């Protein structure tokens, strides 16, 4: 499995991949003009992830498959001494220290120090005469090694997504000790093997370890991409997270820029007027997401086309809407609308008549939508009767937050303008008490109820993608004119990568 994957990514193959990567991604002449989503990970986040990387590397080493090592050497009197090391595998491995440094416009430098690794396997050796070779002795062996690793990971664009190249890898051996177990041969023979096997062994271990790490880096880059791609997809609605420009490595952060185009059936999305600039984000938090207003509008349009902006209310929820107050005028208006029918025999339907328009402003997210409301009663023994129909343009400012693993939407400053108003109890529409009651009911109870339903649906959707697995600390959702910034600190669920690697390896 892993060995086969690694063989496909040999030195020559890596060079071909890099050449292909440099030619595969072409970006426009204006930087960031088609950037809809930005992810910035700062130095504290890379330090946190580096702790998990050490565990991942240990898991990968334990599943590694090392090739057999064979060779021979001419010796006086003995002729040729031939040997073979087979069934090499990691018996135990520990990492004492791992450090990460971001090299400006270059690479992620990871220094892994004092790696103690024990390898085990079988050594077969023998003596060769002039006409024949006879291998006649096999012993178990153990190799004790102490290694420092230096890895420089470059980020690039390959097939329009972030790819990691960790082929710049160096191993320094502080110790490489070969022990033969159960061997009755003289000590000089053991020393002979140590002398002329050690050099070859170092080369093989360096090659395999570095290839392993490079393969692992690419696997993890693909894993992160697939995780993000799945997070922004729900049934027929998805978001294109293809790269919009080359990933950045700065001294204090990593940053990737994505198109963020909304994909829905035959619905096509395009823009070239993004307002993103790296200066819009700071470096004080661990993780930042920048979202362009256009992309949120496109998501709202896709949700409308997919008929998701429809809400049905009945029973206790309907009662809570219409019995918001206890004044005589309100009770009279409700009695007039429902004509004495119970709430359990009534239903209200709320839906958008057109694409909602979203505008991001410093005070919050402004949503403008043309909404229809229809109330139908089901009198016992009679045909259903639509007793109320309204079309109204609603403009509401919403402030968003995230706390206790839940999205919180708080509506502010709503404005309602009736476009169509039909009520069977008031055919002429001249009774101001009914319309005034409905306007108050919509602004005070109706809009919060709809917002709460959206809040619950989005929280459930995000948790189904695994967001609840992360420990998110002090998240902030900050709106500005034309864009929104989500900034937070987090703890990474370490089992996530380990579970993935166990399945993959």
């Amino acid at each position: 499995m892993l060995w086969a994957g690694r063989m496909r990514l040999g030195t020559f193959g890596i060079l071909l991949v890099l050449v292909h990567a440099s030619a595969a991604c072409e970006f426009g002449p204006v930087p960031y003009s088609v950037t809809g989503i930005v992810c910035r990970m700062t130095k504290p986040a890379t330090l946190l992830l580096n702790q998990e990387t050490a565990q991942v590397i240990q898991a990968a080493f334990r599943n590694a498959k090392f090739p057999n090592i064979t060779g021979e050497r001419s010796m006086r009197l003995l002729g040729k001494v031939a040997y073979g090391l087979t069934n090499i595998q990691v018996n135990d491995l520990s990492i004492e220290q791992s450090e990460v440094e971001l090299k400006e416009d270059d690479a992620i430098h990871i220094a892994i120090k004092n790696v103690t690794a024990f390898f085990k396997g079988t050594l077969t050796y023998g003596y060769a005469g002039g006409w024949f070779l006879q291998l006649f002795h096999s012993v178990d062996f153990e190799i004790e090694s102490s290694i420092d690793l230096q890895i420089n990971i470059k980020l690039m664009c390959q097939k329009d997504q972030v790819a990691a190249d960790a082929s710049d890898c160096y191993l320094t051996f502080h110790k490489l000790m070969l022990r033969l177990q159960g061997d009755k041969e003289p000590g000089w023979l053991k020393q002979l093997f140590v002398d002329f096997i050690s050099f070859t062994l170092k080369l093989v271990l360096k090659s395999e370890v570095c290839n392993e790490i490079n393969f692992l880096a690419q696997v993890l880059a693909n894993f992160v991409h697939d995780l993000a791609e799945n997070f922004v997809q729900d049934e027929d609605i998805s978001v294109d997270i293809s790269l919009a420009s080359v990933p950045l490595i700065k001294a204090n952060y990593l940053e990737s820029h994505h198109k963020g185009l909304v994909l829905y059936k035959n619905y096509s999305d395009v823009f070239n007027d993004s307002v993103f600039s790296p200066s819009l984000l700071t470096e004080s938090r661990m993780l930042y997401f920048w979202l362009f207003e256009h992309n949120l509008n496109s998501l709202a349009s896709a949700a409308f086309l997919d008929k998701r902006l429809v809400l049905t209310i009945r029973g206790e929820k309907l009662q809570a809407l219409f019995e918001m107050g206890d004044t005589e005028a309100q009770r009279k208006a409700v009695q007039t609308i429902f004509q004495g029918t119970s709430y359990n025999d009534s239903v209200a339907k709320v839906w958008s008549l057109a694409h909602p328009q979203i505008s991001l402003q410093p005070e919050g997210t402004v949503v403008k939508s043309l909404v229809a409301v229809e109330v139908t009663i089901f009198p016992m023994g009679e045909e259903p009767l639509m007793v109320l129909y309204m079309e109204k343009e609603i403009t509401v400012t919403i402030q968003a937050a995230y706390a206790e693993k839940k999205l919180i939407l708080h509506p502010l400053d709503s404005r309602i303008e009736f476009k169509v108003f039909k009520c069977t109890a008031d055919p002429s529409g001249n009774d101001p008490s009914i319309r005034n009651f409905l306007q108050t009911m919509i602004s005070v109870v109706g809009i919060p109820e709809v917002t709460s339903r959206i809040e619950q649906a989005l929280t459930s959707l995000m948790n189904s993608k695994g967001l609840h697995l992360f420990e998110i600390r002090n998240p902030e959702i900050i709106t500005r004119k034309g864009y929104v910034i989500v900034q937070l600190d987090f703890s990474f669920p370490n089992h996530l990568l380990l579970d993935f690697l166990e399945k993959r390896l």
Side-chain angles (χ1 to χ4, degrees):
M1 295 180 293
L2 184 59
W3 172 243
R6 184 171 59 248
M7 288 297 291
R8 291 194 295 270
L9 291 171
T11 305
F12 182 68
I14 291 172
L15 292 175
L16 289 180
V17 167
L18 296 183
V19 171
H20 173 71
S22 63
C25 302
E26 296 182 2
F27 304 113
V30 182
Y32 313 124
S33 62
V34 294
T35 296
I37 300 174
V38 176
C39 176
R40 173 177 289 189
M41 182 181 294
T42 61
K43 185 67 176 290
T46 62
L47 294 174
L48 176 66
L49 292 177
N50 184 55
Q51 297 174 10
E52 311 305 330
T53 300
Q55 298 183 36
V56 172
I57 289 177
Q58 290 185 49
F61 270 56
R62 293 190 181 102
N63 288 277
K65 303 297 182 184
F66 292 89
N68 296 334
I69 301 173
T70 59
E72 63 179 23
R73 184 173 180 180
S74 297
M75 303 293 296
R76 287 185 180 181
L77 303 177
L78 295 176
K80 290 183 179 179
V81 178
Y83 64 89
L85 280 74
T86 58
N87 301 321
I88 304 174
Q89 55 187 295
V90 177
N91 192 32
D92 193 17
L93 181 140
S94 63
I95 297 175
E96 181 176 310
Q97 185 179 0
S98 181
E99 300 175 352
V100 64
E101 178 185 359
L102 303 180
K103 294 185 176 180
E104 184 92 9
D105 299 325
D106 183 19
I108 306 166
H109 176 72
I110 298 177
I112 302 176
K113 299 180 180 180
N114 295 330
V115 179
T116 301
F118 290 88
F119 301 86
K120 66 178 182 178
T122 303
L123 170 64
T124 305
Y125 63 91
Y127 313 102
W131 299 96
F132 66 94
L133 172 66
Q134 183 182 13
L135 299 177
F136 64 90
H137 199 60
S138 293
V139 295
D140 293 333
F141 70 83
E142 182 181 70
I143 301 168
E144 180 183 356
S145 65
S146 179
I147 310 169
D148 286 351
L149 291 86
Q150 292 187 8
I151 310 160
N152 293 307
I153 303 176
K154 294 183 180 294
L155 301 181
M156 63 194 69
C157 178
Q158 180 183 342
K159 297 181 180 178
D160 292 327
Q161 72 181 60
V162 177
D165 171 28
S167 58
D168 188 2
C169 170
Y170 301 92
L171 268 67
T172 302
F173 288 85
H174 300 300
K175 177 195 294 185
L176 188 66
M177 183 179 296
L178 177 65
R179 299 191 184 99
L180 305 181
Q181 300 171 355
D183 189 5
K184 303 303 182 182
E185 296 290 341
W188 64 266
L189 184 58
K190 295 182 181 180
Q191 186 60 47
L192 170 67
F193 280 112
V194 171
D195 287 344
F196 70 81
I197 289 177
S198 293
F199 178 74
T200 304
L201 193 57
K202 286 181 180 180
L203 292 179
V204 170
L205 293 180
K206 176 185 182 303
S207 174
E208 297 309 311
V209 168
C210 286
N211 283 344
E212 191 73 44
I213 291 172
N214 188 42
F215 174 74
L216 181 62
Q218 296 180 54
V219 167
L220 291 179
N222 290 335
F223 168 67
V224 172
H225 177 271
D226 293 344
L227 196 68
E229 193 170 52
N230 176 65
F231 190 83
V232 294
Q233 180 175 0
D234 183 57
E235 297 181 359
D236 290 332
I237 301 176
S238 61
V239 176
D240 177 11
I241 58 172
S242 300
L243 285 177
S245 59
V246 177
L248 295 180
I249 299 179
K250 296 300 181 182
N252 294 318
Y253 65 86
L254 308 172
E255 189 170 277
S256 60
H257 316 101
H258 308 266
K259 295 176 182 177
L261 299 174
V262 175
L263 308 174
Y264 174 73
K265 294 182 178 179
N266 296 326
Y267 175 80
S268 59
D269 188 20
V270 64
F271 67 91
N272 59 5
D273 57 350
S274 175
V275 298
F276 176 73
S277 168
S279 62
L280 297 177
L281 302 179
T282 64
E283 302 169 15
S284 60
R285 306 299 297 275
M286 293 174 68
L287 192 62
Y288 294 81
F289 294 101
W290 182 95
L291 305 173
F292 187 30
E293 177 183 276
H294 174 95
N295 298 76
L296 295 180
N297 265 308
S298 296
L299 276 174
S301 296
F304 170 77
L305 294 173
D306 203 44
K307 303 187 186 308
R308 299 193 184 197
L309 304 183
V310 180
L311 178 63
T312 301
I313 307 172
R314 51 169 53 92
E316 293 181 358
K317 289 289 186 181
L318 188 61
Q319 182 177 0
L321 282 175
F322 280 90
E323 293 187 358
M324 60 171 190
D326 58 358
T327 66
E328 182 63 30
Q330 289 170 337
R331 287 194 294 271
K332 182 179 178 180
V334 172
Q335 185 70 17
T336 301
I337 294 171
F338 285 89
Q339 301 179 19
T341 305
S342 73
Y343 294 110
N344 290 329
D345 296 322
S346 308
V347 62
K349 180 182 176 183
V350 184
W351 72 97
S352 287
L353 293 168
H355 300 188
Q357 299 297 314
I358 295 177
S359 174
L360 296 173
Q361 302 294 335
E363 57 269 22
T365 302
V366 181
V367 182
K368 183 177 182 180
S369 183
L370 183 61
V371 177
V373 177
E374 179 182 279
V375 176
T376 302
I377 62 174
F378 300 85
M380 186 174 295
E382 300 181 24
E383 291 294 319
L385 175 64
M386 185 180 71
V387 295
L388 179 66
Y389 178 81
M390 299 180 290
E391 293 179 8
K392 55 195 182 299
E393 186 176 82
I394 297 177
T395 303
V396 59
T397 300
I398 298 175
Q399 291 183 345
Y402 186 84
E404 298 180 353
K405 301 184 184 298
K406 294 179 181 179
L407 179 67
I408 301 169
L409 302 177
H410 183 54
L412 304 169
D413 192 26
S414 60
R415 298 185 298 278
I416 302 168
E417 180 182 350
F418 285 93
K419 300 293 185 180
V420 175
F421 182 83
K422 298 177 182 178
C423 181
T424 56
D426 181 23
S428 64
N430 294 326
D431 186 349
S433 63
I434 294 179
R435 185 174 298 202
N436 291 339
F437 164 72
L438 290 172
Q439 180 146 354
T440 303
M441 183 269 292
I442 291 168
S443 61
V444 175
V445 184
I447 291 176
E449 172 64 20
V450 172
T451 303
S452 175
R453 296 288 187 95
I454 295 174
E455 177 183 279
Q456 295 170 20
L458 291 176
T459 296
S460 177
L461 176 61
M462 291 188 296
N463 286 342
S464 72
K465 304 297 183 178
L467 185 63
H468 64 291
L469 299 175
F470 293 78
E471 290 300 324
I472 297 175
R473 300 191 300 273
N474 303 320
E476 294 181 86
I477 302 174
I478 303 169
T479 54
R480 295 288 183 261
K481 185 173 177 57
Y483 63 90
V484 60
I485 297 172
V486 181
Q487 56 188 38
L488 54 95
D489 299 319
F490 70 97
S491 295
F492 194 77
N494 54 14
H495 63 85
L496 193 64
L497 288 179
L498 292 177
D499 290 349
F500 166 75
L501 285 170
E502 287 179 1
K503 294 177 183 177
R504 179 61 189 264
L505 301 180

